[in-house]
Amino acid sequence: MCGILGTVPAFKSPQFFERALNLLAHRGPNGSGTWEGNEKEVLLGHRRLSILDLSDSGKQPMHSERYVITHNGEIYNFKEIKKELEQKGYVFKTQTDTEVILAAYAEWGAQCLQKLNGMWAFAIWDKKEKSLFLSRDRFGKKPLFYAFVGTAFVFGSEMKALVPFLPEVKLSKDFQWMKENLFAYEPTDKCLIEGILRFPAAHFGIFKNGKLTTTKYWDTREHLHEVPQQYSRQVAEFRELFIDACKIRLRSDVPVGTALSGGVDSSAIAAGIAQAAKSNANNGDWQHAFIASMPNTPLDETPYAKQVAQHLNIQSHVIEIDALKGIKNLENALYHFEELYITSPVPMVQTYSAERKAGVFVSIDGHGADELFSGYDTFLLNAFWDCGLNPFAIKNILETYRGIVPPFAQFKKEMVGVEHYFQRVSGSFNFKAFMPYLGSELKKAVKQNTTAFNDALFKLFHTENLPTLLRNYDRYAMMSGVEIRMPFLDHRIVSYCFSIPWTSKIRNGYTKTLLRDAVSPFLPKEVIYRKYKMGFQTPIVDWMKGAWKEYFLNLINSPDFSQSEWIDAAIVKKQIENVLFSDVTYREGELAYAALQPYLWEKAVLNRFQLIWSEINKV
C-alpha cells in the first residue's frame, strides 16, 4: 500500500518530480524511490508503506530485465501465483507481491489480471516496446488519476501529486454537477480539478506514442455461477469462502487489526479473522480491535463492539473520538481527502490515526457488505418486484424495512411512509387494497422471478454508493499511513453474492441473512441478530449543536463565507442555523453539512493546491 507517480516522457527535472512525489509521503512514510529511463522516455516514482518484505529488497520502482513497475496495493494470493510461476521456471529474489506481479505480467500479459485477488493500481514500463501498462483493481479500491500535459502523460495516486504538472490549477467545468451528485461522480472520469481524470476501475490501459487506450477486463455479471438451491448449503459455502477471504488478508509482515463498530459487518469480519487465524500457523500479530466511541450520541455502539471483542478474545482499543480536536484539524483532513462528501471525516480519520499510533498498519474491515446484502433501508423495496407483489412477502419486506431504522428520534421521522405501508398491508393482507399506495412503475411489476433486487444492489455496488465509500476509506486511512483490507470485496465473494437470490438476503424480518447465519456460530446472538443499522458516521447533529456550534456560528457569519462564489451563502446559512437551533433529523444535518462542503473544499483543497503549484513551479 503506497503512493505512485509517473510521467511519460520525463519532461520535468528529477528535483521537480521528487517534490511532487513527496506530496504522497503520507501514503508511503517508509521511504521513496524513483527510476528514469536512459533516454528520459519515462520517470517512475514510489512512496513506500512497508507491509510485505520489510527489507530494502522490497523497494520500488522494481525491475526485471524488461519491465519496471511502481505499485500501490496488495495481491493477497501472491503466494499461490508465485508457486505456479516457479513451476514455470521463474526465480524470485524477494518476498513481495510486487515481484510476483512483474513475473505474472511477463508470463501472461494483461491476462494476469484475471489471476490477481487483491486491490491495486500499478504501472509497468516496457523497456522494449517503450509503452506503459496501467491497471486498476476490479472494484476501484485503489485510486489512480491521470492527466495529459501537452504531449506528456502524468499519472498518480492522488490529485495533489498531479497538480504541480498542470499549466494552471482551476475548478473543473463539471464542478456544479459534481457538488450536486456526491455519490455519482466517483465512478466517472470526472475530477474536481480541470485537466485531471480518474482512471476507471476494472480496466487496464496502454499508453504508447502519445495515446492512451483502455480496455475493461472484468464484469461481475460475466462471473456469476450456479449456487445450491438449498439455503443451508448456501450458508455453508459462503462461510467457507468468507473465512478463506479473511485468511489470505492476514498475510502481513506487520501487525494487523480491525476497526470494530459492533455492527453486523465489522463483527463478522472480526469473527472471520479469528476463525481464519486458527487454521493459519503463521497468522502473526492480528488481535487488535479498534473501537470508535462517541459518547452521548445515538451513533455510539461501544457496548456491542466490546462484547464482540471479549467474546472473540481480541484486545480492544477504545478510541474516544475528540470532536474539538477534529474540528481544529478539519481543513488538513479535507486537504488529504481531496473530494466532496456528505459528512465529515473526523471519526474515521481519528480511528485510523489511532491504529497507526498503536503500531498497527493494516486494518481488515467490513466495507462492501451493505451493498452486497442490502444494509440500506430503501433498497429493500426493490424486492417487491421479485416477490411478484405477494402481500405476505410484502409484509415480510416491510417488517424488515421497519426494523432496520435506529430507534432514535433523529431517525424515526423518516419512517412515517413505511409505517403507513406496513399498517395497510398488515390490516388487509389484500393486494387490491395495497395497490393504490404503490408507484406506477411498481404496479407494472406484477411478475415472478425478476432480479430487480440484485440489479439494484449491482448498481449500488458498482456504479453508485460503494465506489464513493471505497474512495473515502482509502483517504481516511492512508492519510495516516494505514492499509485497509476488505474481505467482502474479494471478487469470489462478490460473484457469489450476486449469484444468490434475494430470498437468501432477506428472510424472517432480517437483512443480510446469509451473512448473519454464516457467522452466527462465532458471535453473540444479540449482536449478530440486532436488526437496526447505525453505520460508522459522524454524529453531525449532536456535534453541531454541541462541540462544533461555535465553529459553525463563526464560519457562517464571516465575510469570507458570505462572499463565497461556490455556494448560495444565504441558503446554506439558513440550513446550518436550522441544525444549530432546531429539532432536526440526522438527514437534515447531513444535508446542511453537504451544502457547506464546496466552501470548505475551496479553503482546504483548492487554495492549498494553488499554493503548492506556485511553490513547486516557483511562481
Side-chain angles (χ1 to χ4, degrees):
M1 186 69 65
C2 310
I4 65 174
L5 182 65
T7 70
V8 183
F11 71 106
K12 295 287 187 178
S13 70
Q15 294 77 19
F16 182 103
F17 185 87
E18 189 77 29
R19 293 186 71 184
L21 177 62
N22 285 338
L23 294 172
L24 300 174
H26 53 284
R27 297 187 72 92
N30 300 126
S32 66
T34 59
W35 181 85
E36 187 174 41
N38 292 331
E39 300 174 2
K40 297 185 181 296
E41 68 272 24
V42 63
L43 183 54
L44 302 178
H46 188 264
R47 288 290 321 194
R48 186 184 185 195
L49 173 58
S50 302
I51 301 295
L52 295 171
D53 192 343
L54 309 185
S55 71
D56 286 346
S57 64
K59 286 184 176 180
Q60 296 184 48
M62 189 174 287
H63 312 254
S64 67
E65 184 176 344
R66 179 173 171 176
Y67 302 108
V68 186
I69 186 173
T70 183
H71 168 223
N72 168 32
E74 297 287 352
I75 308 303
Y76 307 120
N77 64 334
F78 76 99
K79 291 185 177 181
E80 289 77 11
I81 299 173
K82 183 177 184 179
K83 185 176 180 180
E84 183 179 355
L85 289 165
E86 285 174 334
Q87 292 172 350
K88 292 178 176 290
Y90 286 85
V91 176
F92 295 88
K93 299 177 182 179
T94 77
Q95 300 301 314
T96 67
D97 57 338
T98 302
E99 188 182 15
V100 173
I101 297 174
L102 265 183
Y105 183 73
E107 178 66 23
W108 297 297
Q111 285 301 309
C112 75
L113 302 174
Q114 302 295 338
K115 291 179 174 288
L116 305 184
N117 187 338
M119 53 183 179
W120 66 83
F122 62 74
I124 298 176
W125 176 253
D126 186 331
K127 300 175 189 176
K128 180 181 178 181
E129 295 292 329
K130 306 296 183 184
S131 64
L132 186 75
F133 179 86
L134 293 161
S135 178
R136 193 170 175 215
D137 64 68
R138 294 172 179 85
F139 310 122
K141 287 173 277 188
K142 292 293 97 193
L144 185 60
F145 298 90
Y146 66 96
F148 295 95
V149 185
T151 58
F153 178 74
V154 187
F155 67 89
S157 294
E158 293 181 9
M159 289 191 294
K160 60 177 63 67
L162 273 62
V163 159
F165 297 92
L166 300 177
E168 61 180 328
V169 182
K170 62 180 182 179
L171 277 181
S172 166
K173 61 181 181 299
D174 296 308
F175 182 80
Q176 182 67 30
W177 178 84
M178 294 169 77
K179 78 174 187 177
E180 293 172 358
N181 296 273
L182 298 182
F183 279 95
Y185 75 80
E186 176 63 28
T188 74
D189 65 354
K190 300 181 189 300
C191 291
L192 294 163
I193 300 298
E194 187 69 24
I196 298 179
L197 299 168
R198 202 180 313 269
F199 193 88
H203 282 67
F204 68 82
I206 297 176
F207 182 79
K208 187 175 182 178
N209 298 327
K211 183 179 179 181
L212 177 67
T213 304
T214 60
T215 302
K216 188 171 185 177
Y217 67 85
W218 178 268
D219 187 326
T220 300
R221 289 167 294 197
E222 296 175 359
H223 295 270
L224 304 184
H225 52 81
E226 292 293 326
V227 298
Q229 291 188 358
Q230 189 177 0
Y231 177 71
S232 60
R233 287 187 59 199
Q234 293 176 17
V235 170
E237 279 190 354
F238 178 82
R239 180 186 296 124
E240 181 179 359
L241 186 59
F242 177 64
I243 292 174
D244 187 67
C246 291
K247 181 178 179 179
I248 61 175
R249 283 163 178 77
L250 280 170
R251 291 172 173 172
S252 171
D253 294 330
V254 296
V256 173
T258 185
L260 179 61
S261 71
V264 172
D265 306 341
S266 67
S267 299
I269 292 296
I273 295 170
Q275 290 301 308
K278 291 180 180 179
S279 60
N280 185 1
N282 300 312
N283 57 61
D285 182 6
W286 62 272
Q287 293 178 311
H288 305 277
F290 292 85
I291 302 167
S293 175
M294 292 174 273
N296 304 314
T297 75
L299 297 182
D300 187 53
E301 296 183 286
T302 305
Y304 295 105
K306 283 183 175 180
Q307 186 179 2
V308 171
Q310 183 177 6
H311 186 85
L312 297 173
N313 195 28
I314 298 176
Q315 180 183 4
S316 60
H317 308 257
V318 178
I319 308 144
E320 186 163 329
I321 304 301
D322 189 330
L324 285 175
K325 180 181 177 181
I327 204 68
K328 289 177 183 177
N329 295 332
L330 181 62
E331 285 193 22
N332 188 56
L334 292 177
Y335 160 73
H336 282 295
F337 185 66
E338 294 192 336
E339 306 284 356
L340 297 172
Y341 192 51
I342 58 174
T343 191
S344 90
V346 170
M348 306 78 169
V349 170
Q350 290 189 18
T351 298
Y352 293 112
S353 175
E355 291 198 32
R356 178 79 192 184
K357 289 175 183 176
V360 172
F361 306 146
V362 175
S363 190
I364 304 180
D365 294 351
H367 312 298
D370 284 323
E371 292 77 14
L372 291 175
F373 294 101
S374 190
Y376 304 114
D377 47 17
T378 54
F379 283 86
L380 295 175
L381 300 182
N382 287 282
F384 283 166
W385 298 64
D386 294 355
C387 72
L389 301 183
N390 180 297
F392 294 92
I394 288 172
K395 182 184 178 185
N396 180 45
I397 294 165
L398 286 175
E399 189 173 297
T400 306
Y401 186 8
R402 190 190 204 189
I404 202 173
V405 177
F408 304 108
Q410 287 180 23
F411 302 95
K412 277 187 174 180
K413 290 180 181 178
E414 297 168 17
M415 283 301 292
V416 174
V418 76
E419 285 294 334
H420 183 61
Y421 284 167
F422 183 83
Q423 293 301 326
R424 280 285 174 176
V425 176
S426 298
S428 65
F429 268 82
N430 185 299
F431 174 76
K432 185 177 179 180
F434 187 64
M435 283 293 285
Y437 300 94
L438 297 175
S440 59
E441 290 302 311
L442 281 177
K443 291 178 184 179
K444 299 175 184 177
V446 188
K447 57 182 178 177
Q448 298 286 346
N449 302 319
T450 67
T451 59
F453 183 72
N454 270 343
D455 287 349
L457 292 183
F458 188 91
K459 292 178 182 177
L460 192 70
F461 187 97
H462 291 90
T463 62
E464 294 175 357
N465 202 66
L466 187 64
T468 301
L469 295 182
L470 295 181
R471 175 202 73 195
N472 293 356
Y473 276 89
D474 172 82
R475 305 301 195 282
Y476 297 152
M478 289 307 294
M479 68 177 74
S480 295
V482 172
E483 168 180 307
I484 299 181
R485 298 178 176 182
M486 307 174 190
F488 289 119
L489 273 292
D490 189 302
H491 65 277
R492 299 169 300 168
I493 284 181
V494 174
S495 293
Y496 194 89
C497 288
F498 283 113
S499 298
I500 61 176
W502 73 275
T503 50
S504 297
K505 301 180 182 184
I506 304 175
R507 295 171 72 90
N508 304 320
Y510 285 93
T511 60
K512 305 181 182 180
T513 320
L514 185 72
L515 173 60
R516 293 178 196 264
D517 291 344
V519 298
S520 62
F522 317 128
L523 288 165
K525 303 301 181 188
E526 55 270 37
V527 171
I528 204 63
Y529 290 113
R530 178 161 59 107
K531 285 192 172 186
Y532 69 85
K533 171 184 171 56
M534 295 301 302
F536 188 22
Q537 305 172 81
T538 299
I540 193 71
V541 173
D542 300 84
W543 284 2
M544 285 179 67
K545 290 181 179 296
W548 289 5
K549 188 172 186 177
E550 182 179 358
Y551 170 85
F552 279 99
L553 280 173
N554 290 338
L555 193 73
I556 62 177
N557 288 299
S558 68
D560 190 42
F561 174 85
S562 62
Q563 296 167 12
S564 175
E565 60 182 296
W566 313 121
I567 59 172
D568 187 322
I571 292 176
V572 175
K573 181 177 182 180
K574 186 176 181 180
Q575 285 182 272
I576 297 295
E577 288 177 335
N578 189 44
V579 178
L580 297 180
F581 301 112
S582 304
D583 181 20
V584 297
T585 67
Y586 182 87
R587 179 61 176 157
E588 288 171 317
E590 208 171 50
L591 289 173
Y593 180 86
L596 181 67
Q597 271 283 283
Y599 170 71
L600 295 175
W601 187 87
E602 176 196 11
K603 292 178 61 181
V605 183
L606 182 62
N607 291 352
R608 191 160 171 182
F609 278 5
Q610 291 171 337
L611 180 61
I612 287 169
W613 188 93
S614 297
E615 289 178 344
I616 294 183
N617 285 277
K618 295 184 170 60
V619 175

